[in-house]
Structure formats: structure tokens, C-alpha cells
Amino acid sequence: MQTPADRQDRHEYPAHWEADVVLRDGGTARIRPITADDADRLVSFYEQVSDESKYYRFFAPYPRLSAKDVHRFTHHDFVDRVGLAATVGGEFIATVRYDRIGADGMAASAPADEAEVAFLVQDAHQGRGVASALLEHIAAVARERGIRRFAAEVLPANTKMIKVFTDAGYTQKRSFEDGVVRLEFDLEPTDRSLAVQRAREQRAEARSVRRLLAPGSVAVIGVGRAPGGVGRSVLGNIRDAGYRGPLHAVNSAFPEDVKEIDGVRAYRSVRDIEGPVDLAVVAVPADRVPAVVAECGAHGVQGLVVLSAGYAEIGPEGRERQRALVRQARAYGMRIIGPNAFGVINTASDVRLNASLAPEMPRPGRIGMFAQSGAIGIALLSRLHRRGGGITGVTGVSTFVSSGNRADVSGNDVLQYWFDDPDTDVVLMYLESIGNPRKFTRLARRTAAAKPLVVVQGAGSAPQGHAVRATRLPHDTVSALLRQAGVIRVDTITELVDAGLLLARQPLPAGPRVTILGNSESLGMLTYDRCLAEGLEPATPIDLTTSATAADFHRALSHALADDTSDAVVVTAIPAIGEASPDDVELAEALRSAAAAAPGKPVLVVHVELGGLAEALSLATSTAPVPPVDGTESAAVGGPVSAVAGTDEAETTASTAARDRAAEQHSAATPTPPVRPPAVRGTPPTPGTPASGAPARSRATPAPATPHPRLIPAYPAAERAVRALAEAVKYAQWRREATEPGKVPEYEDIDERGAAKLISGLLERGEGLAVGPEDARELLAAYGIRVRPALPAPTPDAAAEAAHALGYPVALKATAPHLRHRADLGGVRLDLADEEQLRRAYAELTELFGPAEQLRPVVQAMAARGVDTVVRAVIDPAAGAVLSFGLAGAASQLLGDTAHRLVPVTEREASSLVRSIRTAPLLFGWRGSTPVDTPALEELLLRVSRLVDDHPEVVAVTLEPVVVAQHGLTVLDATIRLAPPPARDDLGPRTLPVY
């Protein structure tokens, strides 16, 4: 329906329709409304379109546009007639327009809700997904203007355009008449249209990042003539890493006789380079960057890594400079990493790109790493380098991105790339800020379903240079939402690397049951205690004693891996003294060979002062014989050693002195101790006594081992190993549950249309509307949520009348803001059985807290006894719709005992929401209390979720208290806040963010 605001804005330019988009090949284009100033651009564009494309558009030869055509196609009212153009470098590459029509097919105005739509794409840009992007945007514009259906007439031979419509995923009808295919389709987003849109988004954004990480040629702009400096250093890093493509050095100050710098061809301008340049690394002062970007755009450069500083990190002036940089680059179809970036790295053998300030190329491996600041990037690379150890590189990096101010390419874009990157098995991210939490959560959920995603999230305010959407959610809430999406949330870089090393090459555990074995009873007990603290189920540690040999470790580990009652094994090791004690290499080979024989369970090592063991666990090859098992000898084993070091730099130094001391011992050999079977999990062991067996329990089969060499991570402290294992256990459980995510239920008694009509009427009163009690009850009733009425009681007589109408017993409540929902302050009187008790309670309240005008007392019928809870839903500008649940009362508020889920909530998520608060036992019969009706509570959560999901105008809902009884529940109070919906929401077309 056309509103007065529509008519008022009929001729105003809708700036919010402007958007930057990523096309199918990874390039960018700008979409904007066509205006009267575009006449010359339209004519130029049309001249470059082939005769065949013109014929498909107009169904007849149409070599040129008349003046009348140009006027018609550039003059729009932005309501009934709208035209959009996709531009690159300021010039049109495609156009789309709609004209509203009535039932007779003629031009019309609202309330007509159908429009004819037509496209024209320049031949040179066909196949890039331009028309698909334009269709998404013109459909969003049409929905905003009250149009619900598009009609398009297409010649049968125009198969490309027909495919654009049919592949979009909208509900459509197709007919053929008079030699023309007529397509009609509804514009309401469907599950299929959203899936198509997001799949296109993923492919396009992934390709845009791939163009930056795997360029066919690179130019470094700003290479100094003298050694040193950022540009010269990066040029050397790229060259020394063995980059596989053409490399060019550029500096406008090069003398004309300088043809080479450090063995690399030198140029005064990127325009002088013969052949294409895919990536430009920019290291010039900020005031010279615009000229460099213009030259790169004119030369057809596909992407930029801007190392230059002097942008948003220095204040408002720099922020404007940064925004201008992004606008300029996107206008040429280029994407930017930076500015103020540390750079990018790709260790793939066919790329070998180190376009960063890191002086050494990291080992190639299977871990993708993202950081925003250069300092954090250096720390991550250094820590992983030290922890990787050896010469295999298998625990190294696949790709690394440090985005600096992330004015354009962000963690979301890199996640799109890593999602289906065959060279990346684990993703590690250090996020100082999240520019679009709603999208990040969506992408994280999809990525985590395919490969582990480990994140450290900054808890403070966004750093200088990081423009982010404001969020009203606490940091802990955002963290909880990330965990809900499958993100492995850790707090430090050390934990980030610890978890990454475990997940990179060990299989996911099938459950929480842990076997602990080793040659130190004390270290085993410490590991056991940490497992209990992390919620794992450890068996009694198996003590091999300090005299254990490599064969003993091999035999014990093999036994534990074959045990069906164990899901993971932690091996603890300390330096041993004795002639029979194994050296580090021998012990590492024993563990490796045992683990290789049972690849379905994860193995971790906790070692103390065994730097040599950590080093040996990371060796690339070995010809050491497998330790004998049960008196037999094994043949020598060649090939990769499946283990990885897990220590910091000081901990990876080979402990040769310890080995020498062990070899010099002349004490008698100690008999090999027997391997003890694991005990019942969670039962504390008795020191010095053998463990007893436990009955076998079945578990789901763990994920199959990867085809890459299996690496055993080693940790210098039990708490670090166990924390990493606990995160892997929780992630594995999330993966299993993600295969059956649950459903959003349908309720037959929900009146969605009636609620929409009521909301529309309420919003006519003004923006930011706090809905009154009666309207709130009516709106909630449309979704099957009944709120117990409360009658005002401005006087004792009015209170008595209200109680008589409701029926005794009743409650008397003060609803003044400072007393509302604060039973602990004494502003509530319950179970008032008659008028005498009611009047006495009324007098007490007014005597304690002041006159009735200040108290705003109300009378309400008593509800059945139960547990008081709170249900809330809010629309956060950054994270989207969030549903929250907790128990009512000051204690829960002080402890922050509230759980959160993203809307829409499924049946499974509603169940987990109720059970995820720390005080949940109070709902399930804690200490002999009566369990309450949690199914009714879960249904209430699902209905509130549906309300805010169906109606984005509902920006806040609070039900407090909700008394959950043994049978059923009662909502005693409700508040609702409305606001006009945003022009574009998460169902809108693909756009690049503008920070």
C-alpha cells in the first residue's frame, strides 16, 4: 500500500538504494538509481551493446535510442517507475527498470502491486552475474514500494535472461503466447530464493578473496631506491618466498635508466607494465594513494593490499580519507585489504606469496589465519612457527590475512573463501571487532559445520580505525551467540594455537570420556582434576611408573585406543632416569606408531621438561623401529612422522642433557609394569592401587581420519591440553547436533495477519512506540500468548472493586518504575484472601513507599505457585533478533545467569535455552522440589520467537514474570516496543558494507 510518505518522496533521490556488490568473478560494481543526469552515460552504454542484445531487449532491431527513449529511461518517480544501473569506473555496464502496471497491463499507481521488469547487460559483462545482482536489488526496491509481483516478457532464444529469472528461486508462473515467454513471479523471499542468494554471495566473495590471495602477477608500488623501507622489504619478501608469477617493482621516482631493483623489473608507473597486473601492494604515503589507485584501476588491476597508514586510525580526517579510498577502489571493480594492513600470505606450492611484512615465509600447512592488527598477526605467526616444530610444515599455514583497518575485505569475506578452500582444514581468527555480527554468525555456523573455527574476540571497544555497528548486547552475550553458531570461543592467543594444533590433525572425539596414561602419577592426577573441571569424564589415570620404556608407552596407548569406553587419550610424560628409559625420539616413535594403528581417536601429550620429545614429535621422517609389542619385533617404519610439537620456543629446545644423563645411569633395570585397565569414569583413584575395569559403552563412530599425516600435539601444561580437548569435545557435540538442527514449529492458532494489522495501526501514532498494556495483550494473544490482566487501583476502593471483579485471592503490586519487578523491595503483596487483607496491604504500601499516585498500584488474580522466569526478545542493530531466558530476581541479574539464542529459534534450541542457565536445576526438581512444566515454557519461547521473526517492527518484548507451575504457566506482565522496520534487512539483496 502506498503511504503518504511514499507520495511525498515520489521525486526524491533514494540514496539508500545505492550499494556496492561483488560479482560472480570476484570483481565489484556499484548499483544506484538512474537519474536525469545519466543521459550521456545511458547513450554511451547503449552504443556498446550488441545488436543481438538490443533485439532481445526490444523484440526488434533497435540500433539507437531516440531522445524520447533517453528521457523515458532516465526520468523516474522512484515509486511507480524505477531504474537502476550497475556501474564500473562510473560508466554503465547494465540497467534494469520496472514499471508498475494494473490488471489491464497498462501503467498504474498504488494499490496496483504488479510491475513489468526488463534488463539490458553490456555484452562484455555478460556472464559475470550482473543481472542476478540487479534482480535482487530491483526486487527489494519493489517490495519497499508495495509491489509484490514482477512480470517479464522474454524471447525464447534469450536463454540467458530466462535462466536469470528461473534460477532466482522465486515462486513463478510461466506461459507462452504470440512467440514470447511470459514469466510472472512473486517477490516474497522463499527458502529457495534465500539459499540461491546466499550461495551466490559465497561464491562471489570467495572469488574476490581468491583474486587477492592467488594473483597471477604482482606489482609492489612504493619500492624505495635505497635498501629498507616498507615497499622494498615487501618486494624482498615476495621474491625470497619464491612467488611463482611475474613480479614488478614500481616507484614514480625511479630514474629512467633504472630497469631493475633487487633482480626485479622496475617501472615508474603501473601503466608502463606490459601485461596484466592482478594484485598491487601499495606502500606509498596516504596522500599519494588516490593517484596510485586511479592508475591501478585504469590498468585493470583486480585487487589492492594497502600497507599505507594515515587513515581511520588517526581520527575523523583519516576516516574520511579511508571511505574515499574504498569508494574509489570499488568504482574500478577492485577490493582492498587494508589500509594499514600487515599483508597476506599464501603458502600453496603453485603460489608461494608472502606479500606481507613477515620476513620469513611460514611453513605450509592446513591452518587458515586471520588477524586485524599487524602486532597480533606477528604474534600468531610466531607462536605457530614455534609450536609447529620440525621441518614438515604440516602444522603451518595455508593462508594468512592481516586486514589492518579492514575498510573493505573483512573476516566475513575470508570466511567465505575458507569455507570451501581444499587447502584449509582449520580456521583461526583473532577479531578485535566484528563489523557485521549478524552475517558473521550466519557464515560461522555454515563454516563450523564443515571445519573447526576457533576465535579470540576482543572484549574492549573497537580499535581506532575499525568502524563497527553499535551493539547494545554485552560482550558475554555476543560470545554466547558465537558458540551457538559452532564457533570455538577462546580467550587468548595461546589457547587459539593450542586448540588449532589439536584440531588440525587429530580426529574429533566421539564423546567426553578420557583415558589418561603416563609415567608420573602426580601429573596424571593433575590432568585428571583438570578434566573434571572442564566437564570431561576421565577414567582413573594409568600409572606406568617412572621406569616405563617406549614399549610400555606403546602398549598402554594401543590398549587405550582399542578401549570402547574411551573417546580420547592424554599421555603424560616426564623425564625418566634409568638405562631402560626411552630417549625422546624413541618415545615419540612409540606414540606415533600406536596412534597410527588406531586413527579414530584423538591423542594428546602433556610433557614436562621434555623439549626433545616435543621436537621429536614434529620430525618429518623416521626410520626408527617400532618398539616391540608382546615380544615381537616390527619392521622399520618410513614416511611421515604423525606427530607435532606443542611447546613454546623455550620449550622446544632438545633436552639432550636429560638423554645423556639417562644413558649414563648404571642402576638395575626395573621390571616392566603391567598396563592397568581404565576405571569407572569420574571416580577418584586411590594412589598406589590398580584401577578397576569398567563396563563397555557404545559411542557414535568418530569422524574418519584425514588423509594427511596424523600429528600428535604436545603441551607443556596439563590445563592447556585439557582445555583444548574440552573445546574439541564441545565442538564435536555441536557438529553432531548440527546435522539435525531442529525445526521452527507452526502453530495453527497464530494470527499473523491480525498482528500485522494491529502493528500497522499502532505505528501510525509515531516512531519508537511503547505499546500500552491492553494493546500488548492483544498483540501477544494473536500469537497464542495470554497475559493475565492487571486492573489499576488508584484508591483502596478501586482496589476492592478490582479484586471483586477478578476474584480472590489476589496480588497487590506497585508498578512505579523503581519498584516494578522488584519483589525484594517489598512492593508486592501476595495471596490476599479477602477485602480486609487487601485494604491492610494497600495501607502498608502507601505508608512505606508514598502516595498511590507515585506507586501506581494494580490488582491481579493470583497465579499457581511455580518458578518465576523472564523471557525477553530484542532486535539488536548489529546482531539481529535475540531471544533471552533466565530466572527472575536480583540474584540471576547479578550473576548474569541469562541464556541467549538467535531468532528464529528451533524446537531443539528452545529446549537447550531452558537448560543452559546455571540455575536450570530449579526447573527440574532441585532438592526435592516439584518439577515445573518446561514443555509449556519451551512453547512460550517458540511463540515469542515467531512474533519477532514475523514482524521486524517488534523491536523489544519482555515477559516478566512468567510463573512456570507444575502444569502450565502464567504471564503476569508484558511490555512491547515497536519501531518502523529498516528499509533493508537480512533478507535484502547482497551488498558490501560501508563503514
Side-chain angles (χ1 to χ4, degrees), residues 313-593:
E313 76 278 3
I314 66 172
E317 180 182 352
R319 188 178 301 281
E320 287 305 314
R321 183 184 297 126
Q322 181 169 295
R323 288 171 176 161
L325 168 64
V326 173
R327 286 195 298 268
Q328 184 185 17
R330 288 179 179 174
Y332 286 109
M334 297 183 291
R335 300 213 66 184
I336 297 175
I337 291 179
N340 196 29
F342 183 75
V344 299
I345 297 173
N346 187 343
T347 65
S349 58
D350 58 341
V351 180
R352 300 289 301 170
L353 176 67
N354 180 15
S356 78
L357 296 173
E360 294 183 11
M361 186 77 158
R363 298 184 188 92
R366 312 288 304 175
I367 297 177
M369 300 178 68
F370 176 87
Q372 290 168 342
S373 77
I376 298 298
I378 293 170
L380 276 173
L381 289 173
S382 175
R383 186 65 56 91
L384 189 61
H385 178 78
R386 294 197 302 264
R387 296 289 302 280
I391 60 174
T392 65
V394 288
T395 57
V397 174
S398 60
T399 45
F400 167 83
V401 176
S402 178
S403 63
N405 294 0
R406 62 141 182 75
D408 181 22
V409 173
S410 68
N412 286 343
D413 298 287
V414 184
L415 266 186
Q416 299 276 39
Y417 170 77
W418 279 325
F419 169 67
D420 56 6
D421 176 30
D423 296 327
T424 300
D425 291 336
V426 179
V427 174
L428 307 183
M429 306 184 80
Y430 190 102
L431 302 176
E432 297 173 61
S433 62
I434 302 178
N436 188 343
R438 188 184 309 194
K439 182 176 179 180
F440 179 80
T441 302
R442 171 167 57 86
L443 300 185
R445 185 189 299 273
R446 186 189 59 191
T447 302
K451 57 189 67 174
L453 170 59
V454 192
V455 170
V456 175
Q457 177 199 0
S461 58
Q464 285 290 327
H466 291 213
V468 299
R469 300 181 184 183
T471 178
R472 293 186 290 266
L473 298 180
H475 175 76
D476 290 344
T477 301
V478 177
S479 297
L481 297 178
L482 294 181
R483 285 188 177 275
Q484 180 193 347
V487 173
I488 301 171
R489 225 337 234 107
V490 296
D491 296 321
T492 66
I493 292 178
T494 298
E495 293 175 351
L496 186 72
V497 175
D498 283 347
L501 290 176
L502 173 61
L503 295 164
R505 282 297 176 268
Q506 290 291 303
L508 293 176
R513 301 170 301 179
V514 183
T515 296
I516 304 166
L517 62 91
N519 62 354
S520 168
E521 185 179 41
S522 298
L523 186 55
M525 285 299 303
L526 178 61
T527 306
Y528 176 91
D529 291 340
R530 292 312 307 164
C531 286
L532 291 177
E534 292 288 349
L536 302 177
E537 300 175 13
T540 303
I542 302 171
D543 181 16
L544 303 180
T545 76
T546 56
S547 60
T549 65
D552 298 328
F553 274 95
H554 182 279
R555 184 163 42 248
L557 180 55
S558 298
H559 185 277
L561 291 172
D563 183 2
D564 290 339
T565 68
S566 175
D567 300 314
V569 181
V570 179
V571 178
T572 61
I574 63 170
I577 298 177
E579 292 183 358
S581 300
D583 65 20
D584 300 325
V585 174
E586 185 182 6
L587 179 54
E589 180 58 24
L591 299 177
R592 183 210 67 80
S593 59

Side-chain angles (χ1 to χ4, degrees), residues 793 795-805 808 835 838-839 859:
T795 65
D797 291 339
E801 284 186 26
H804 180 74
Y808 289 98
E835 183 175 340
L838 174 63
R839 289 182 178 275
V859 175

Side-chain angles (χ1 to χ4, degrees), residues 55-60 153-159 162 176 179-181:
Y55 184 86
Y56 284 154
R57 169 65 176 85
F58 293 103
F59 300 178
E153 294 185 345
V154 188
L155 291 176
N158 192 358
T159 56
I162 292 175
F176 183 79
V180 174
V181 177

Side-chain angles (χ1 to χ4, degrees), residues 253-294:
F254 282 156
E256 294 190 6
D257 59 341
V258 173
K259 303 299 182 184
E260 189 176 281
I261 291 289
D262 294 338
V264 178
R265 287 288 305 273
Y267 302 87
R268 291 170 56 84
S269 170
V270 71
R271 292 175 297 185
D272 299 333
I273 299 174
E274 296 181 2
V277 174
D278 296 330
L279 176 68
V281 182
V282 181
V284 301
D287 59 351
R288 292 178 51 201
V289 169
V292 169
V293 173

Side-chain angles (χ1 to χ4, degrees), residues 1-3 6 17 78-80 82 98 100-101 108-115 138-150 187-188 983:
M1 178 178 178
Q2 188 180 21
T3 66
D6 289 329
W17 293 352
F78 302 126
V79 178
D80 300 326
V82 173
Y98 79 66
R100 194 190 300 256
I101 58 174
S109 296
D113 61 358
E114 183 174 348
I138 197 72
V141 168
R143 288 194 297 268
E144 184 180 329
R145 293 311 195 196
I147 292 172
R148 299 289 175 260
R149 186 170 54 260
F150 271 166
L187 300 182
E188 187 67 25

